[in-house]
Amino acid sequence: MTVHPHTRFVLPDSLNATEPPEARGLSRDQVKLLVAEGSTVTHTRFDRIGDHLRPGDLLLVNTSGTLPAAVDGTWITNSCMAPVVVHFSTALDDGNWVVELRNGGEPTFGGTAGDQVELPRGILTLLAPHQPGANRLWRAKPPVTDMISYLQRHGRPITYSYVNKRWPIASYQTVFARDPGSAEMPSAARPFSFELVSRLAAQGVLIAPITLHCGVSSLESHEPPLPERYDVPEHTARLVNWVKGNGGRIVAVGTTAVRAIESAVAADGSVVAAHGWTDLVLGPDHPAAVVDGLVTGMHAPEASHLLLLEAVAGGGTVQQAYDAALHERYLWHEFGDSCLVLK
């Protein structure tokens, strides 16, 4: 299955955020914020997001915490031994993990079932490709049972080539992180500070938790998102229904929060408590039923996340927002600037 967002743009390398805003002399909540509502685009700063929210609006925030999910190892095959970095993407129900092997910063496609990777204090064994007909992601037997503790001891955050150095795991956590489980940061919430959350609460903006654990994001162009583990608790479902019934808006913080809450929509349009695995893919043919707005970072060209933005706000609004962000030189990716898209 391929997916094709309508939003089109070319991202110059100069707009990749190479370091956290704190390294650029800013606090987390001082990054740029672009607000797109209908045909109107406003440029402001993230700590002023409250100017665009109303009392009674509900922010849905992802409580998933980021794991130091990259581990250095030695790939052992029948013919040779080679250095490799293992990205631990997703914990499966049977105790195995979905992993990606990378060499020189790029994914490796040459694995074979039975290959082993020597890791600190253990061996990873490749079992089978995670997806039929593809061998970028593998189901693998991990070196230990308690992989959360193992990664916290031996791993480091997953980074890609646009980040110019290694940053500590604290740089990859949001103020809402409570449940370790994401291979990569649910980065839309990164600009929130504790002080900003307090101001929003005093303003009458409501906040409710969901959980969705993110896998690796280094998917091929047009590749749909993989199934991810999620949880929408009962109290969040009730609050969403109450807010919708009383004229408030549901604003999801991140595409992860959109995917989770939209996976919990019942046939009558109400939200119910739900958990497990979601393979939901939102887009023009499957628009968002509950979410009225989205706080999000700036996504790469042709990423499937753009389809989800279009499902919330429409392709025209998203294209206008990205055109404006390029013109005003917003920064992209997890350490970059932010966008609030409203229906």
Side-chain angles (χ1 to χ4, degrees):
M1 175 184 174
T2 58
V3 289
H4 300 275
H6 295 298
T7 304
R8 294 284 185 267
F9 62 97
V10 176
L11 178 64
D13 288 343
S14 60
L15 297 187
N16 289 320
T18 60
E19 58 190 2
E22 299 92 305
R24 305 193 296 269
L26 304 173
S27 63
R28 284 180 175 234
D29 58 12
Q30 289 180 329
V31 296
K32 292 179 182 178
L33 175 66
L34 183 152
V35 182
E37 185 170 8
S39 61
T40 302
V41 170
T42 304
H43 299 286
T44 181
R45 206 169 68 178
F46 197 87
D47 56 2
R48 298 172 188 145
I49 192 172
D51 295 344
H52 303 275
L53 300 173
R54 302 192 291 253
D57 285 346
L58 174 63
L59 291 175
L60 290 174
V61 300
N62 190 355
T63 63
S64 180
T66 310
L67 295 170
V71 182
D72 293 318
T74 301
W75 188 10
I76 306 169
T77 69
N78 291 330
S79 57
C80 66
M81 300 172 64
V84 71
V85 179
V86 180
H87 286 181
F88 285 85
S89 176
T90 306
L92 300 173
D93 293 335
D94 61 3
N96 293 318
W97 277 69
V98 178
V99 302
E100 180 188 50
L101 304 184
R102 296 179 74 88
N103 193 339
E106 297 296 328
T108 299
F109 295 91
T112 302
D115 284 357
Q116 293 186 324
V117 178
E118 184 178 342
L119 297 175
R121 305 184 68 84
I123 297 291
L124 176 88
T125 303
L126 302 187
L127 300 176
H130 183 51
Q131 298 167 288
N135 63 347
R136 184 180 66 83
L137 296 175
W138 284 83
R139 284 191 298 109
K141 182 180 179 181
V144 299
T145 301
D146 183 2
M147 279 302 297
I148 302 298
S149 297
Y150 177 90
L151 291 173
Q152 290 169 342
R153 189 176 306 116
H154 298 291
R156 65 176 186 274
I158 288 175
T159 58
Y160 296 111
S161 58
Y162 53 81
V163 175
N164 58 14
K165 61 178 282 189
R166 293 181 182 177
W167 299 94
I169 190 64
S171 296
Y172 294 86
Q173 303 293 8
T174 74
V175 297
F176 305 111
R178 185 183 66 195
D179 309 299
S182 280
E184 300 184 18
M185 174 175 49
S187 56
R190 193 186 193 279
F192 283 92
S193 63
F194 290 110
E195 295 79 10
L196 176 56
V197 171
S198 296
R199 291 201 304 272
L200 292 173
Q203 179 183 327
V205 174
L206 305 171
I207 298 175
I210 59 90
T211 304
L212 185 140
H213 294 312
C214 311
V216 294
S217 66
S218 56
L219 303 179
E220 300 298 313
S221 294
H222 306 310
E223 188 177 346
L226 298 171
E228 293 170 310
R229 193 190 304 272
Y230 80 107
D231 178 50
V232 176
E234 174 67 33
H235 58 272
T236 293
R238 290 200 308 266
L239 188 54
V240 168
N241 292 330
W242 184 86
V243 168
K244 294 290 284 188
N246 286 275
R249 297 177 296 182
I250 308 301
V251 179
V253 180
T255 57
T256 59
V258 178
R259 194 182 199 195
I261 201 67
E262 295 289 337
S263 297
V265 177
D268 64 359
S270 66
V271 172
V272 297
H275 68 277
W277 293 87
T278 177
D279 58 3
L280 177 66
V281 178
L282 294 170
D285 58 344
H286 191 152
V290 172
V291 171
D292 303 299
L294 173 62
V295 179
T296 180
M298 310 304 298
H299 297 290
E302 300 182 347
S304 63
H305 298 84
L306 294 170
L307 273 172
L308 193 147
L309 268 67
E310 294 170 2
V312 172
T317 296
V318 177
Q319 183 71 64
Q320 184 179 18
Y322 271 66
D323 289 344
L326 287 166
H327 185 266
E328 296 298 323
R329 300 196 60 77
Y330 279 57
L331 295 180
W332 255 248
H333 305 302
E334 67 269 28
F335 293 144
D337 295 312
S338 192
C339 181
L340 170 62
V341 180
L342 297 166
K343 283 187 178 179

